[in-house]
């Protein structure tokens, strides 16, 4: 896995702990790119610290049941994705515009006591994610594209099919998963899918259910 100028090939290339950024319905996947608009002081400090060290940040969702810690901060999902800052800009009004490139998913083994305003966790990385194309040949590309086309048509949207047709399976599955307009539970299911084939099947199932609901809502509105 390459992210920016860095290569991540084995466990020794990855940190044992990292700062985490809890963000609802945000999905970062290996190889994917996520733009972030950072404005909260604690996360501005987090980005400063990351830039001064490994440039790595863990993206993770707050727990889906809304559970809170004693201090009022949300409990975290068990699984997130480690990303490297590959682009950084200051806006002049106190914000940072950051781009993260996904490296690998991780499981939180422990949240660490910290003095910083942002949170840090001990991580267990999913090392199989470092092989970007592992299992890509098992993806049902035709079914995925058919489902994606149906979604676009139902919502009056267009896509750059030339670029889509040239995309490798891993890039296609992860990019479509990240850009999908679904909620926190669906995004977490896509993140936790054990492999690319399962992630593609999960995305197809979620999209088909969404299209079915839209058809039912349309039919109800005509009655």
């Amino acid at each position: 896995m390459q992210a920016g100028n860095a290569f991540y090939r084995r466990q020794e290339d990855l940190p044992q702990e990292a700062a985490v950024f809890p963000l609802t319905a945000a999905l970062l996947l290996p190889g994917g790119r996520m733009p972030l608009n950072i404005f909260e002081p604690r996360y501005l400090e987090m980005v400063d610290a990351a830039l001064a060290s490994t440039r790595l940040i863990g993206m993770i969702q707050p727990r889906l049941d809304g559970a809170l810690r004693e201090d009022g901060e949300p409990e975290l999902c068990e699984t997130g994705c480690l990303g490297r800052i590959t682009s950084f800009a200051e806006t002049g009004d106190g914000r940072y515009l950051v781009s993260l490139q996904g490296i690998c998913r991780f499981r939180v083994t422990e949240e660490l006591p910290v003095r910083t305003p942002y949170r840090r966790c001990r991580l267990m990385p999913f090392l199989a994610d470092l092989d970007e194309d592992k299992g890509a040949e098992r993806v049902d590309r035709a079914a995925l594209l058919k489902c994606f086309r149906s979604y676009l048509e139902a919502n009056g949207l267009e896509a750059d099919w030339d670029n889509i047709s040239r995309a490798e399976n891993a890039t296609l599955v992860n990019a479509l998963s990240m850009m999908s307009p679904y909620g926190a539970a669906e995004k977490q299911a896509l993140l936790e899918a054990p492999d690319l084939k399962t992630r593609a099947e999960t995305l197809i199932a979620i999209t088909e259910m969404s299209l079915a609901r839209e058809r039912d809502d349309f039919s109800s509105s005509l009655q």
Side-chain angles (χ1 to χ4, degrees):
M1 172 68 70
Q2 180 178 3
N5 294 328
F7 291 88
Y8 302 90
R9 298 188 175 95
R10 53 186 182 171
Q11 187 160 358
E12 289 76 11
D13 297 329
L14 300 168
Q16 294 182 350
E17 59 183 69
V20 294
F21 187 6
L23 192 59
T24 300
L27 177 61
L28 179 65
L29 289 168
R33 289 175 172 80
M34 172 183 285
L36 293 171
N37 179 14
I38 307 293
F39 53 87
E40 284 190 53
R42 59 178 167 170
Y43 296 127
L44 293 170
E45 185 175 332
M46 177 189 70
V47 170
D48 285 338
L51 288 171
S53 56
T54 62
R55 298 197 175 197
L56 299 178
I57 293 172
M59 294 300 303
I60 197 164
Q61 289 203 92
R63 216 166 76 182
L64 301 179
D65 61 6
L68 300 177
R69 305 191 309 184
E70 290 183 1
D71 61 2
E73 289 292 313
E75 296 283 2
L76 302 175
C77 286
E78 292 184 356
T79 305
C81 186
L82 197 64
R84 178 181 171 89
I85 298 174
T86 55
S87 175
F88 167 82
E90 296 178 286
T91 62
D93 60 2
R95 293 178 293 123
Y96 290 163
L97 302 180
V98 168
S99 179
L100 283 185
Q101 183 174 342
I103 297 169
C104 70
R105 294 170 297 163
F106 62 82
R107 189 173 304 282
V108 174
T109 59
E110 178 188 7
E111 183 162 356
L112 301 170
V114 293
R115 294 183 179 180
T116 59
Y118 54 88
R119 299 163 71 172
R120 293 183 64 85
C121 292
R122 194 176 305 280
L123 315 176
M124 182 179 69
F126 290 26
L127 297 178
D129 288 349
L130 300 181
D131 182 357
E132 298 178 73
D133 296 322
K134 184 175 182 180
E137 74 283 352
R138 299 174 60 231
V139 170
D140 189 342
R141 184 184 181 95
L144 180 63
L145 290 178
K146 179 181 178 182
C147 187
F148 181 53
R149 189 183 293 274
S150 297
Y151 180 86
L152 293 177
E153 291 175 352
N155 289 276
L157 302 173
E158 297 182 355
D160 185 343
W161 287 102
D162 287 338
N163 280 336
I164 290 172
S165 65
R166 290 194 295 268
E168 300 290 341
N169 280 356
T171 300
L172 183 65
V173 171
N174 288 339
L176 292 180
S177 296
M178 287 179 61
M179 70 173 63
S180 63
Y182 303 125
E186 291 83 0
K187 291 293 182 75
Q188 195 65 25
L190 291 166
L191 176 68
E192 294 181 5
D195 51 42
L196 281 169
K197 179 178 182 290
T198 308
R199 182 172 299 131
E201 292 170 347
T202 302
L203 180 58
I204 291 170
I206 292 170
T207 302
E208 288 177 343
M209 287 188 289
S210 175
L211 290 172
R213 284 195 299 268
E214 290 178 7
R215 286 192 293 268
D216 289 344
D217 291 344
F218 179 73
S219 297
S220 298
S221 68
L222 295 179
Q223 294 175 0

